Amino acid sequence: MMKRSDRRQHILDLLRNGDAHAIAEMATALAVSDETIRRELRQMEADGSIERIHGGARLAKTAEEGAFEVRLGRNAAAKQRIATAVALLVDDGQSLYIDASSTSHYVARALRSKRDLTIVTNALGVVQELGGRNGNRVYAAGGELDDRYRAYFDSDARAYLSRFRPRLAIISTESVDPVAGFTNYHVGEAALCRQMIAQSERVLIAVDASKFDRCSVAAVATFAEVDILVADRAPGEAYAAAMETLEWVIC
């Protein structure tokens, strides 16, 4: 029997092209009853990942996280606390990859007092916060700008970043699930984060509590691939086994 997290992931996969899908169509695709799909959709709507419509569902507009400025303002106080905690784990002179998430933008702000950092990033905001400051060296990927994220995710960006081996990758994801691990809705962002996780010596993921118990379309990392988790509250008991190998900081 398919696990609930897998079933929800399949539903998101069906909806990710932006089109609405009928309940009967999803039930056939997943080989389950219409009522099972309705039950999952009710919970997924409560989680904010989908919108139910008459006889079916579509991916929620918020599931794609919205414009960068909107995401930056969402759960801002928690993200600022997380950023402060992350900055305490970074030493002067360290080499870092910082991703294009709104949480990592706050991390970049929190790092402004650090000195002689080597920063690798694909995010315009990170460049603006840390470039030309305290002896920092900033290496920024280019390519085609994704204006909604104020960042670069295309093949040019990935090719440029492939030459770097930072000591620590600082990443935030849109969703965390005890089975699926860390996931994103933006497929390009997820691919680039996976690349930098593989290239970095250590990996830190920073997420606010709203990201727990959610599952997005694109895989970013398993728990085994992450060294440090920084969050504003501890995850539930369902995460206990998955997090045994992690160092985690609750702020």
Side-chain angles (χ1 to χ4, degrees):
M1 181 179 294
M2 184 182 294
K3 295 180 180 178
R4 167 166 282 186
S5 59
D6 292 336
R7 191 158 56 233
R8 292 183 180 177
Q9 185 64 55
H10 277 288
I11 291 171
L12 288 170
D13 288 343
L14 290 171
L15 300 176
R16 66 179 173 177
N17 64 1
D19 296 332
H21 287 261
I23 288 172
E25 178 187 356
M26 290 185 277
T28 299
L30 275 66
V32 297
S33 69
D34 289 6
E35 182 52 39
T36 296
I37 294 295
R38 289 191 187 94
R39 185 169 58 248
E40 297 295 358
L41 293 179
R42 283 194 292 270
Q43 185 59 52
M44 293 171 73
E45 184 178 49
D47 293 341
S49 58
I50 63 100
E51 295 176 354
R52 286 194 294 167
I53 59 174
H54 181 68
R58 63 188 174 198
L59 198 66
K61 292 180 181 178
T62 55
E64 294 181 355
E65 286 285 276
F68 184 81
E69 291 76 11
V70 174
R71 292 185 292 119
L72 200 62
R74 192 176 296 146
N75 300 319
K79 291 175 182 178
Q80 289 167 352
R81 292 198 305 274
I82 290 166
T84 299
V86 172
L88 293 174
L89 302 174
V90 175
D91 298 323
D92 289 341
Q94 198 165 1
S95 61
L96 308 170
Y97 167 70
I98 303 178
D99 79 349
S101 64
S102 57
T103 300
S104 291
H105 186 91
Y106 283 110
V107 171
R109 288 183 182 176
L111 291 173
R112 287 186 294 186
S113 63
K114 301 292 182 178
R115 305 191 62 85
D116 301 319
L117 298 174
T118 299
I119 307 296
V120 180
T121 189
N122 59 314
L124 291 179
V126 173
V127 175
Q128 292 164 352
E129 295 292 341
L130 295 174
R133 177 186 295 271
N134 297 340
N136 295 336
R137 300 165 64 193
V138 178
Y139 296 91
E144 181 179 1
L145 178 67
D146 185 328
D147 189 55
R148 287 171 58 84
Y149 280 69
R150 294 175 60 195
Y152 303 91
F153 303 108
D154 64 7
S155 58
D156 289 334
R158 294 194 298 273
Y160 179 79
L161 292 175
S162 67
R163 68 189 72 179
F164 296 98
R165 299 294 184 273
R167 183 176 178 186
L168 180 68
I170 298 174
I171 290 168
S172 184
T173 64
E174 294 161 7
S175 309
V176 188
D177 178 84
V179 176
F182 302 91
T183 57
N184 276 341
Y185 284 104
H186 190 300
V187 174
E189 181 183 34
L192 200 149
C193 286
R194 288 197 303 272
Q195 174 182 324
M196 295 311 299
I197 286 169
Q199 293 172 203
S200 300
E201 184 178 330
R202 303 191 79 210
V203 176
L204 181 155
I205 289 189
V207 289
D208 67 79
S210 71
K211 309 300 177 66
F212 290 126
D213 304 319
R214 296 174 57 185
C215 188
S216 303
V217 171
V220 174
T222 65
F223 287 94
E225 293 171 310
V226 178
D227 299 287
I228 307 169
L229 176 66
V230 181
D232 57 325
R233 72 163 170 81
E237 284 297 319
Y239 294 83
M243 293 181 60
E244 283 183 352
T245 61
L246 281 175
E247 172 187 347
W248 46 288
V249 176
I250 304 302
C251 53

